[in-house]
Amino acid sequence: MSDASPGQARRQVGLLAVMGVVARLCAQMMLLVLLLLAGRFLTVELFGIFVLSSILMNFGVIQMYSGIYHFVLREPAFEQTKGTAFTLQMMFSLAFAAFILACSLGVYLLGWGDLLAQLMAFTAGMPILALIASWQEAVLLRKGDVKFYYGALICSEIAGFTVSVLMLVNGLGVWALIVNRYVASGLMAAALCWKCGLLPKPEWSRDDARKIVSFATPLYGNSALAYFTSSGADIVLGGFLTARAVGLFRMGSRTAGAAFDLFAQTFRILTWQAVGRMAREKRLSAELWTSLLVINLSIMLFVLGSLSLLSHELIAVMLGGEWMAMVPVLQILCWAKIITSADQIVSAQLAAAGHTAFLFRSRVLEAIILLVALLCTVHFGIIAVAFGMFPSALVYVLRLTHKLTRLTDTTMLAVGRAVLPGLALGAAGLLVVFGASMLLEAQGPIVTIAVTAIVGVVTYVVTAFVAMRTWTLGLLHTVSTAILPASENEPASS
């Protein structure tokens, strides 16, 4: 039994990782295809109206997956506090819905556009759906049933995508993009309710409410500031440069973001499952978060670095020659995303350890630095703005990492030494990608992309599981002991 436990743990972690990648790949690919189809069926103005109408909706949905969502994941005494926690979550979702309706009424009364007002009002129900889905998702992750989560995610996204494509083809226009979110979120909420049971009965305890709000408020502020850091560049560009510049930057940002989100969402689920369980079982350690950080940086370096190296070919195939001016922006933002990817590891660990106020102060500092950098670079064009994303990201990640080293009795030097093998693994894959792309340059973009991607992935996997087998399996075992219950791992260590 004890001899099989490490192998079983590694296989389970590997299976979860593969399912996560497949689920996010499906979601991101469907989103990309839907945006390309929308570009064919909608005018630029209509698409812009959709973007404006969905700003508050996106903000409200993001908040439903922060604060109380994280409290549910990490709270040891969840059964005693869940009634009050759900009541607070319900109050927040209804407040977001009411605020969106009020804003849509204001847009209508001010004459800023009937369609914009109608679309905004139509999005008001999304925070309520997100309330159900986020609550049940957190409950499901507490139980460790990530397989069902990924399966439900894929099915709901496919359904939303199918309905939206049918609406676009039949001339229903911009409404299809919002219905996409309703269908996907509604089915996800229904599936999670079927799996987890009924929502809890609303209750109220002043002491529990004070405890929950104290924990959740900095996280809400943190996610709000994170939303600004992801959308602030578009706002500043829109105020100083042309619509074409905004479009080029936004497309570069969305392309880099799609590749980032493909793996970031998987790491978010696995990281919070790991650190949430470790926090409840009082087993927080430097070994866990450094192992997660190493795996994250190694994969992100390879994936986003490869996207940067192949950006010319990818944009030529996907978008055509008129979009080639965005290539430098895409390349720069890919490397910025590699830095910010560390945030999902270190911030989750700090939040699980109760340092939410520190996270909020750090996010405020990041937002201030970003705003200053954007205002200083916007007059020099979109490439300068892309470079302006680096200072805030670097300061934020280093500040959080330094705090975490002090909390877990390690040093920045030790973290650097732990990360080096992972960076070397990612760099080995990148070196092969670069060499293959140079050799195949005359074969055309499609052949270059396909062959280079295959050769790069094979090199990365072979290096990880053959040349660096002991190191790789050690990392997977460290993470598995955090994700699996303590009782399943204790025999293996005895």
Side-chain angles (χ1 to χ4, degrees):
M1 176 77 175
S2 61
D3 294 335
S5 295
Q8 292 174 351
R10 286 193 293 269
R11 284 193 296 271
Q12 183 164 344
V13 173
L15 177 61
L16 293 179
V18 170
M19 291 184 65
V21 170
V22 171
R24 297 321 305 177
L25 177 62
C26 291
Q28 290 299 327
M29 288 302 296
M30 285 185 287
L31 175 61
L32 178 60
V33 172
L34 184 60
L35 289 176
L36 292 175
L37 286 174
R40 293 181 179 274
F41 286 97
L42 304 178
T43 65
V44 175
E45 182 182 3
L46 277 177
F47 186 75
I49 291 174
F50 161 72
V51 172
L52 290 173
S53 68
S54 60
I55 288 175
L56 291 177
M57 175 190 75
N58 291 334
F59 179 74
V61 170
I62 287 173
Q63 294 293 59
M64 289 295 99
Y65 287 86
S66 181
I68 293 175
Y69 172 86
H70 291 147
F71 177 85
V72 173
L73 285 173
R74 72 175 292 276
E75 176 58 26
F78 174 63
E79 291 300 321
Q80 289 72 40
T81 59
K82 68 178 182 181
T84 301
F86 180 74
T87 301
L88 286 170
Q89 184 84 321
M90 182 171 58
M91 291 168 58
F92 290 148
S93 70
L94 292 174
F96 280 124
F99 182 70
I100 293 174
L101 287 174
C103 289
S104 66
L105 179 61
V107 168
Y108 176 76
L109 294 177
L110 291 172
W112 290 351
D114 291 349
L115 180 59
L116 176 59
Q118 293 169 13
L119 289 171
M120 287 183 66
F122 189 60
T123 66
M126 275 301 300
I128 298 175
L129 274 180
L131 154 72
I132 301 171
S134 63
W135 180 272
Q136 298 289 46
E137 177 183 314
V139 171
L140 186 70
L141 293 179
R142 279 184 66 93
K143 301 175 182 178
D145 195 352
V146 186
K147 295 179 184 178
F148 182 86
Y149 168 81
Y150 287 139
L153 176 65
I154 293 175
C155 293
S156 62
E157 291 293 339
I158 290 175
F161 173 79
T162 303
V163 171
S164 296
V165 170
L166 291 174
M167 291 181 66
L168 284 171
V169 171
N170 286 278
L172 295 177
V174 70
W175 296 94
L177 301 180
I178 297 178
V179 170
N180 166 263
R181 300 322 312 153
Y182 269 101
V183 173
S185 298
L187 288 178
M188 186 68 174
L192 292 175
C193 285
W194 175 80
K195 181 68 174 179
C196 299
L198 298 176
L199 295 168
K201 180 180 178 181
E203 298 176 356
W204 187 256
S205 167
R206 181 177 299 179
D207 292 338
D208 289 341
R210 187 181 297 112
K211 172 185 176 182
I212 295 167
V213 170
S214 176
F215 173 84
T217 299
L219 286 176
Y220 284 131
N222 186 56
S223 63
L225 290 169
Y227 189 70
F228 167 76
T229 58
S230 66
S231 304
D234 299 330
I235 297 172
V236 172
L237 283 170
F240 290 92
L241 299 181
T242 64
R244 183 176 186 274
V246 175
L248 289 171
F249 188 92
R250 184 61 174 170
M251 184 60 73
S253 175
R254 288 298 297 268
T255 304
F260 173 80
D261 288 338
L262 171 64
F263 293 93
Q265 294 298 327
T266 301
F267 274 109
R268 179 181 70 85
I269 297 297
L270 293 179
T271 298
W272 266 105
Q273 188 186 8
V275 300
R277 175 168 286 163
M278 295 285 278
R280 293 192 300 271
E281 297 175 358
K282 308 299 182 183
R283 295 191 290 145
L284 293 174
S285 68
E287 186 181 16
L288 169 63
W289 73 265
T290 53
S291 296
L292 289 167
L293 183 64
V294 170
I295 296 172
N296 171 81
L297 288 177
S298 179
I299 293 176
M300 290 296 185
L301 175 62
F302 174 67
V303 172
L304 294 173
S306 298
L307 176 58
S308 176
L309 292 174
L310 296 172
S311 56
H312 283 89
E313 292 80 4
L314 285 167
I315 299 307
V317 172
M318 293 171 54
L319 299 172
E322 62 180 325
W323 289 94
M324 294 306 292
M326 63 165 274
V327 168
V329 173
L330 173 58
Q331 292 173 327
I332 295 166
L333 293 181
C334 281
W335 293 98
K337 287 287 186 181
I338 294 172
I339 296 174
T340 59
S341 69
D343 170 36
Q344 60 191 340
I345 306 298
V346 293
S347 62
Q349 184 80 49
L350 288 169
H355 293 267
T356 53
F358 176 82
L359 288 173
F360 179 69
R361 293 193 301 269
S362 299
R363 188 65 80 177
V364 170
L365 177 62
E366 181 195 23
I368 293 173
I369 295 174
L370 175 62
L371 180 60
V372 172
L374 292 176
L375 292 176
C376 290
T377 58
V378 67
H379 295 288
F380 299 97
I382 58 176
I383 295 178
V385 169
F387 277 116
M389 307 293 286
F390 277 91
S392 59
L394 193 59
V395 169
Y396 179 74
V397 168
L398 289 177
R399 176 177 165 85
L400 264 59
T401 304
H402 181 258
K403 175 71 172 181
L404 195 51
T405 58
R406 295 176 59 186
L407 180 66
T408 54
D409 297 323
T410 186
T411 64
M412 294 290 285
L413 182 61
V415 174
R417 286 197 296 263
V419 166
L420 277 178
L423 296 180
L425 173 59
L430 281 185
L431 186 62
V432 172
V433 168
F434 176 75
S437 65
M438 292 296 99
L439 291 173
L440 297 168
E441 188 174 8
Q443 303 302 317
I446 296 179
V447 173
T448 300
I449 293 169
V451 176
T452 300
I454 293 172
V455 173
V457 170
V458 169
T459 300
Y460 185 90
V461 173
V462 170
T463 304
F465 290 96
V466 177
M468 303 176 66
R469 176 181 174 83
T470 302
W471 176 83
T472 301
L473 295 183
L475 281 179
L476 294 178
H477 179 65
T478 298
V479 175
S480 72
T481 58
I483 295 178
L484 298 178
S487 59
E488 293 184 26
N489 292 283
E490 285 170 0
S493 60
S494 60

